Amino acid sequence: MTEKTTPEQTSNKYNLPKAYAFEEVEQRWYEYWMENKTFTAGMAEGKDSFSIVIPPPNVTGVLHIGHALNNTLQDLLTRYHRMKGDNTLWVPGTDHAGIATQNVVERQLATEDKTRHDLGREKFIERVWEWKTDKGGTIINQLKRMGASCDWDRERFTMDEGLSKAVREVFVRLYDDGLIYKGDYIVNWCPRCLTALSDDEVEHDPTKGKLYHLRYPYADGSGEVIVATTRPETMLGDTAVAVHPEDERYKGLEKIGIKIPLSDRVIPVVLDHHVQREFGTGALKVTPAHDRDDYEIGLRHDLERIKIMDDHGIMNEQAEKYAGMDRFACRKQIVKDLEEQGFLDKIEEYDHAVGKCYRCATVVEPTTSKQWFVSVRPLADKAVAAVRDGRINIYPNTWYNTFYAWMDNIRDWCISRQIWWGHRIPAWTCKECGKLMVVREAPTACIVCGNTELDQETDVLDTWFSSALWPFSTLGWPEQTKELETFYPTSVLITSFDILFFWVARMMMMGLHFLDEVPFRDVYLHALVRDKHGKKMSKSTGNVIDPLVTIGQYGTDAFRFTLTAFAAQGREIKMDEERIDGYRRFINKLWNAARFAQMHIKDSDPSIVAAAEKPAELVLPHRWILSRTNATILDVRKALDGYDFNLIASSIYQFTWHEFCDWYVEWIKVDLFSDDETKREQARGVLLCVLENILKMLHPICPFVTEEIWSQLPGERGTIMLEAFPEANPAWPNTEADQSMQLLMDVISATRTIRSEADVHPSVKVHASIICADAAKRDLLHDFNDSLCSMTRSESLSIMDAGTVPDDAGHILTESGVEVFVPLKDLIDVEAELDKLARERKKIEQELKRVQGKLGNAKFLSNAPDAVVEKEKGKQAELENRLAKNEESRERLGKL
RNA sequence: AGGCGCGUAGCUCAGUGGGAGAGCGCUACCUUGACAUGGUAGAAGUCGGCGGUUCGAAACCGCCCGUGCCUACCA
């Protein structure tokens, strides 16, 4: 009688604890990698290069689930290519995020009852740098928690000295090329942030508003025209009324002056094709200084531009008696006054899109001001050409159309921002003669008159200006560095689709213009991560999944595996936390398989894997698992190379759990415990070989658990990170082994099914029988009799001739035509068996009818490929056979 | 208003011209020496609807319904 072992003793026996404890493992291995500099990019001659630049998160940012997805995918590819032996670089860094960062620091100042103006520009910027050093970049540590294998020694910040130099270089060259200009232009103005916003920085929210119909009297008092507006306060800046040139209703109106209500100003009527006759009354009030379209109309008709409010959205002296009022208060007052004086025709409820600042959600005010612009057309053309001729590929390919459409309609890019934190525009104006100088370094004197008193431009550049240079500025440009030579163009850009135009398109433009080469060969656009119902995650809805909390609960590897498994191209990601738990269990499963393997191989020499190099000498299950390993490696590599992330995850999952664990490991237990040394060694060798392959394939997704298991395997082992990624082995594919194994698995499953349906207790040993006409199959079944018995808990498993089985047997005809019988004595439920047979018969007949229909169709026989016809014929024969067997069984049961 | 997707088992999703799949959940049984975070077996789907192309459609085309997103100069 042996004594029962305690769990503690069990643990010691296998070296590994019973359950995978991720916290300690993750921390330990990340420290190891950092200390050993395993993330450092190599630049060896003669090797392929693989490089990614991180989409730099805002320095103010904290890791959200979108970052988690984005960086998991990048790390996955980076680790894959590093294992393939490429010179591999993943450049990390952060973005200075102009408005966002300035807002954070301004809020901090507000708690001290100060504004940035109290400090002055210089002190304020110092303060921002202090904040950056102190509190900025928490996201970097969070990325490390995710396991990101960035080359941290190359971390960059968009306001670094080197990157700032690149910014000035680009600005000056674009200016010299005539691609940057300063102009009076209508921009989106945020009255709270006090800056211009690019079109992309304005979000259009559907808003319930009102449409006011106003009566505009003719100057001579002979009539009136009704115009409609959502912003009646802009009335005071009107400089025309526009109607469509072919609008019969207003024929001749252009000869009449219009008097603005509540004012004495008289404005002209202009004819413009832009006016849509169907909308409202077909007459449009034109406010060129406060509306983008009106601005365009104003240009066409040379209209005056009257600004009626200041930068804060307060009405100015042009607003006459409304001066000093807030724009929205003014709207109310004006409506009231119009109504009292009979100028208000009617008010309609009206839903429309209102532009709001993407940072602070303040309603944006279109207004004119002096701004700097990039002429993007020539740059955009180069980007479009690069995408069209395949120098850049976009994944998923559904984005091509969207990309082209947007590039066709692109407008000049307003790059100046009226804030303090950012790259200050390198332009100086002479106080004496007014000469504008755009130069790389601050000039000491005017190049025209020599005067030394110069004003520097106060605006800074749009944050996206410096990010547009990121793929080359981080590699040392404008210097000609070895890094540029080795790693530019970068291999792939992985980012969320919502910044395709903010950022991705602009990197293309800048890269092509300045380096005459694309910034990246591939662009992979991933989806937004939503909650499990498909809703956007937001703090107010309370459906946010915090990556760090998730990591704490399930471990980084499980989280990364989940994100990978969800990342199917062209589909939104609905994140269900239950999936994460499922993948945590997968990792635990692998852990325990390794634990089992370890029990048998821990004292072996690692060279036992050599057994797998000669599959011909191995018994069937080994040949089979090697064949399956090979197929999995091919699937995984293909998925990796095609950015089919979900397939990478599912291939490894399916293979590891349902082929390796469920079948292979179970099958070879007999051999592992066998007295036959050859059997034992073969089993150990192949077991170790396949386990190693699984770990290597899984490493890019789950770096921690694979590293930990790897380190426990026999022999002296370095980091798995630098092992070669598995390659297909020509000796492994084996169709014969696949088919033979399939037959054995069918027999086992059939036996189990019969047992289970008849409620035979697992401890009861049965005497199963098999009927099989095929000689080769009979040999195979004979050879593996022991395994079959052990896997089905059978006392014996005999291969019989037809007609010799007992009548009271449960029966299944397998797919491969082999019949399995399990005598059940009084356990058999005749009614249930007959029911089952009837159902089976119905299915067979249905299928047979379909197949016969096809084969009876002359068109099918002549049009379908031969292989398909042959297949259908084989199917027909098989089905007919099955039908006959089914009939036999019914007769047999009928005797009971 | 245009454009782009999506609609497959209760849920989350693969599949994409030649026999309907996975995970979770559900049901039954089982602590068999890696794992109960497990095992075995099972139930469950007019592949959104209607037409069309084809020898053959879940897949390709058209229309419709539902749903999501993007873009826009609807004052």
Side-chain angles (χ1 to χ4, degrees):
Chain A
M1 187 85 187
T2 50
E3 219 177 293
K4 225 182 165 180
T5 53
T6 65
E8 286 75 19
Q9 285 169 321
T10 309
S11 296
N12 290 340
K13 187 172 157 195
Y14 305 131
N15 280 348
L16 300 171
K18 200 169 175 180
Y20 173 55
F22 54 83
E23 298 92 343
E24 184 270 335
V25 170
E26 288 175 9
Q27 199 190 334
R28 178 155 46 79
W29 277 107
Y30 207 86
E31 278 170 19
Y32 172 92
W33 293 328
M34 289 296 275
E35 275 168 25
N36 289 276
K37 299 263 178 204
T38 50
F39 302 156
T40 303
M43 290 195 275
E45 297 290 332
K47 281 187 168 185
D48 289 342
S49 288
F50 181 84
S51 53
I52 297 185
V53 288
I54 199 170
N58 287 353
V59 68
T60 51
V62 288
L63 191 81
H64 59 62
I65 198 157
H67 294 122
L69 169 67
N70 179 246
N71 289 289
T72 294
L73 301 184
Q74 290 178 78
D75 195 41
L76 170 51
L77 292 175
T78 301
R79 286 177 183 272
Y80 167 54
H81 283 273
R82 195 184 284 118
M83 289 177 80
K84 277 174 76 178
D86 296 348
N87 288 326
T88 303
L89 169 63
W90 182 13
V91 183
T94 47
D95 191 282
H96 68 278
I99 297 174
T101 310
Q102 178 160 323
N103 280 350
V104 168
V105 178
E106 284 193 89
R107 270 202 297 277
Q108 201 182 49
L109 284 175
T111 64
E112 304 162 20
D113 276 333
K114 286 187 200 156
T115 70
R116 66 186 155 116
H117 300 284
D118 295 331
L119 271 70
R121 184 161 188 153
E122 207 168 310
K123 288 273 177 217
F124 178 76
I125 287 174
E126 271 176 38
R127 181 75 183 248
V128 180
W129 276 108
E130 272 170 37
W131 178 89
K132 192 254 173 190
T133 315
D134 224 33
K135 301 240 173 70
T138 42
I139 198 164
I140 292 296
N141 289 321
Q142 295 172 324
L143 287 175
K144 291 178 178 173
R145 191 78 197 281
M146 288 292 301
S149 66
C150 304
D151 190 345
W152 294 109
D153 295 335
R154 295 176 186 276
E155 184 181 335
R156 296 288 184 269
F157 179 55
T158 49
M159 291 264 285
D160 277 352
E161 181 49 41
L163 275 66
S164 301
K165 195 178 163 190
V167 165
R168 289 195 301 273
E169 180 71 23
V170 163
F171 189 94
V172 171
R173 278 168 61 177
L174 285 175
Y175 182 82
D176 291 345
D177 292 346
L179 292 171
I180 281 183
Y181 64 93
K182 193 176 184 181
D184 202 14
Y185 198 67
I186 188 140
V187 295
N188 308 296
W189 183 265
C190 175
R192 201 211 66 87
C193 300
L194 297 181
T195 181
L197 300 169
S198 70
D199 290 348
D200 310 315
E201 289 167 325
V202 178
E203 283 175 354
H204 291 89
D205 268 359
T207 307
K208 285 199 186 306
K210 290 186 164 56
L211 187 62
Y212 304 88
H213 295 252
L214 313 181
R215 297 175 192 279
Y216 275 30
Y218 296 171
D220 62 8
S222 65
E224 63 177 15
V225 59
I226 293 175
V227 298
T229 181
T230 54
R231 296 184 300 154
E233 71 279 10
T234 61
M235 183 183 87
L236 301 161
D238 285 358
T239 52
V241 166
V243 295
H244 196 277
E246 282 130 45
D247 194 330
E248 292 297 326
R249 293 171 291 181
Y250 300 115
K251 208 160 184 190
L253 192 66
E254 70 275 13
K255 298 183 188 102
I256 298 171
I258 301 288
K259 188 165 160 289
I260 301 177
L262 311 179
S263 167
D264 292 328
R265 246 172 351 101
V266 173
I267 55 175
V269 173
V270 297
L271 306 177
D272 197 287
H273 283 92
H274 164 77
V275 180
Q276 294 183 14
R277 281 168 279 185
E278 311 76 40
F279 191 92
T281 57
L284 168 68
K285 63 188 269 313
V286 183
T287 323
H290 290 285
D291 184 279
R292 164 157 273 155
D293 306 311
D294 293 5
Y295 177 85
E296 302 283 345
I297 294 173
L299 281 181
R300 285 196 284 273
H301 301 278
D302 201 22
L303 299 175
E304 194 188 349
R305 292 197 284 265
I306 304 177
K307 281 184 77 162
I308 54 160
M309 57 184 90
D310 68 9
D311 290 350
H312 294 84
I314 305 295
M315 307 307 286
N316 65 16
E317 67 285 354
Q318 290 289 348
E320 301 174 22
K321 63 175 178 174
Y322 302 96
M325 294 181 85
D326 173 80
R327 53 186 171 150
F328 297 116
C330 176
R331 179 180 300 174
K332 275 189 181 162
Q333 187 60 47
I334 280 191
V335 171
K336 192 165 168 251
D337 293 349
L338 286 167
E339 186 164 23
E340 281 172 9
Q341 298 181 32
F343 292 117
L344 186 65
D345 177 47
K346 60 177 173 180
I347 303 177
E348 287 176 331
E349 295 299 319
Y350 188 62
D351 297 342
H352 62 137
V354 173
K356 292 178 180 169
C357 173
Y358 83 124
R359 290 286 183 206
C360 68
T362 300
V363 174
V364 164
E365 191 66 37
T367 190
T368 54
S369 66
K370 281 260 187 260
Q371 300 290 342
W372 292 84
F373 291 87
V374 173
S375 305
V376 289
R377 189 73 265 160
L379 302 173
D381 288 344
K382 288 186 191 178
V384 169
V387 173
R388 278 204 198 281
D389 65 24
R391 277 175 289 153
I392 296 175
N393 305 297
I394 304 179
Y395 298 81
N397 58 19
T398 47
W399 285 100
Y400 280 103
N401 283 341
T402 315
F403 175 80
Y404 294 133
W406 194 83
M407 294 301 267
D408 280 348
N409 298 319
I410 197 165
R411 289 167 185 257
D412 281 359
W413 175 18
C414 175
I415 49 170
S416 45
R417 295 291 182 275
Q418 289 66 47
I419 55 174
W420 287 352
W421 175 242
H423 297 280
R424 199 159 167 182
I425 290 178
W428 286 262
T429 311
C430 174
K431 278 190 174 176
E432 189 62 35
C433 71
K435 169 70 185 171
L436 179 68
M437 290 169 279
V438 173
V439 286
R440 291 164 182 80
E441 303 298 333
T444 51
C446 175
I447 52 163
V448 174
C449 68
N451 178 39
T452 54
E453 283 188 58
L454 307 170
D455 280 333
Q456 186 178 359
E457 172 65 64
T458 54
D459 290 357
V460 299
L461 289 166
D462 178 9
T463 293
W464 297 103
F465 192 89
S466 53
S467 358
L469 320 182
W470 187 248
F472 49 90
S473 64
T474 53
L475 297 176
W477 190 90
E479 307 304 324
Q480 273 308 314
T481 59
K482 178 149 194 204
E483 282 80 358
L484 267 177
E485 192 189 315
T486 312
F487 295 117
Y488 192 91
T490 65
S491 309
V492 56
L493 180 81
I494 296 194
T495 192
S496 173
F497 68 83
D498 51 345
I499 52 175
L500 178 59
F501 306 119
F502 271 104
W503 188 47
V504 182
R506 286 170 187 164
M507 283 190 287
M508 293 183 193
M509 298 182 204
M510 293 299 193
L512 285 159
H513 188 75
F514 287 97
L515 288 92
D516 204 23
E517 177 62 282
V518 297
F520 28 73
R521 302 187 195 286
D522 293 345
V523 178
Y524 177 89
L525 297 166
H526 60 70
L528 247 41
V529 182
R530 298 163 183 282
D531 75 4
K532 67 171 172 179
H533 304 295
K535 290 214 175 95
K536 263 189 184 173
M537 288 189 189
S538 75
K539 278 180 190 156
S540 54
T541 320
N543 59 350
V544 174
I545 294 179
D546 180 342
L548 294 166
V549 172
T550 307
I551 286 173
Q553 283 175 321
Y554 303 100
T556 301
D557 286 331
F559 186 44
R560 287 172 57 123
F561 197 96
T562 310
L563 292 166
T564 308
F566 265 117
Q569 287 187 20
R571 187 176 275 272
E572 63 188 20
I573 297 174
K574 292 191 218 166
M575 176 58 65
D576 183 353
E577 234 176 306
E578 283 182 18
R579 285 278 289 269
I580 311 175
D581 194 52
Y583 292 126
R584 183 185 59 78
R585 293 211 291 266
F586 168 68
I587 287 165
N588 193 62
K589 181 80 181 175
L590 172 68
W591 179 260
N592 276 288
R595 204 165 144 257
F596 172 77
Q598 183 66 349
M599 169 179 151
H600 294 279
I601 60 178
K602 67 173 181 154
D603 296 323
S604 299
D605 189 279
S607 65
I608 57 172
V609 296
E613 291 307 314
K614 294 176 182 166
E617 295 172 14
L618 300 171
V619 290
L620 175 62
H622 302 314
R623 295 203 306 275
W624 170 75
I625 198 67
L626 291 173
S627 178
R628 295 302 310 145
T629 303
N630 193 71
T632 306
I633 291 169
L634 287 172
D635 288 347
V636 167
R637 288 184 83 112
K638 189 178 167 202
L640 274 161
D641 293 333
Y643 308 110
D644 289 315
F645 296 103
N646 59 318
L647 298 182
I648 309 169
S650 63
S651 297
I652 297 176
Y653 182 100
Q654 175 66 25
F655 175 71
T656 302
W657 199 318
H658 299 304
E659 297 190 296
F660 180 69
C661 290
D662 287 353
W663 286 105
Y664 180 70
V665 170
E666 291 304 322
W667 198 288
I668 64 165
K669 275 179 179 171
V670 189
D671 288 352
L672 288 169
F673 287 106
S674 161
D675 293 332
D676 182 331
E677 199 181 334
T678 314
K679 279 188 180 170
R680 247 183 7 240
E681 284 308 297
Q682 278 195 359
R684 287 177 180 172
V686 178
L687 175 64
L688 179 57
C689 171
V690 177
L691 181 58
E692 284 184 354
N693 273 291
I694 290 174
L695 293 173
K696 288 178 196 168
M697 279 191 282
L698 185 59
H699 176 77
I701 307 180
C702 300
F704 296 107
V705 70
T706 49
E707 189 74 278
E708 178 66 7
I709 294 172
W710 182 261
S711 74
Q712 301 278 350
L713 296 178
E716 283 301 309
R717 281 167 195 268
T719 169
I720 194 174
M721 254 189 73
L722 303 177
E723 286 289 320
F725 196 83
E727 282 185 65
N729 184 332
W732 287 352
N734 191 328
T735 317
E736 175 273 322
D738 293 345
Q739 286 170 351
S740 298
M741 195 67 184
Q742 193 57 53
L743 172 67
L744 298 179
M745 293 193 292
D746 280 353
V747 168
I748 291 167
S749 295
T751 315
R752 286 171 175 168
T753 302
I754 296 168
R755 292 184 59 124
S756 174
E757 286 183 350
D759 283 335
V760 178
H761 194 275
S763 62
V764 172
K765 299 245 177 179
V766 297
H767 295 268
S769 313
I770 300 172
I771 293 177
C772 171
D774 184 291
K777 285 178 181 169
R778 285 174 78 115
D779 288 347
L780 186 69
L781 292 164
H782 185 77
D783 290 348
F784 285 92
N785 205 271
D786 287 353
S787 299
L788 292 173
C789 285
S790 129
M791 301 279 284
T792 57
R793 312 204 126 234
S794 300
E795 185 68 44
S796 70
L797 207 149
S798 23
I799 300 162
M800 315 279 280
D801 292 323
T804 54
V805 291
D807 296 334
D808 62 347
H811 164 250
I812 285 181
L813 175 64
T814 66
E815 297 275 314
S816 32
V818 174
E819 288 179 275
V820 178
F821 297 87
V822 178
L824 297 169
K825 299 198 174 64
D826 48 337
L827 283 172
I828 194 162
D829 180 339
V830 178
E831 288 302 313
E833 279 291 309
L834 284 170
D835 263 7
K836 202 176 76 185
L837 284 169
R839 267 181 284 132
E840 192 190 43
R841 187 189 174 89
K842 202 177 159 193
K843 261 191 185 173
I844 296 171
E845 283 172 342
Q846 267 176 2
E847 186 65 10
L848 193 58
K849 201 174 157 193
R850 207 181 61 80
V851 172
Q852 284 167 339
K854 273 189 174 184
L855 289 170
N857 184 336
K859 283 186 177 172
F860 172 73
L861 294 175
S862 58
N863 290 343
D866 291 347
V868 174
V869 176
E870 283 309 307
K871 201 174 159 189
E872 291 296 322
K873 281 183 180 164
K875 213 184 288 176
Q876 185 181 31
E878 184 204 320
L879 287 167
E880 280 165 352
N881 181 38
R882 293 181 62 138
L883 200 58
K885 299 285 182 190
N886 185 280
E887 187 56 38
E888 271 175 37
S889 299
R890 277 199 341 177
E891 279 170 20
R892 187 168 48 78
L893 280 169
K895 294 178 194 160
L896 291 176

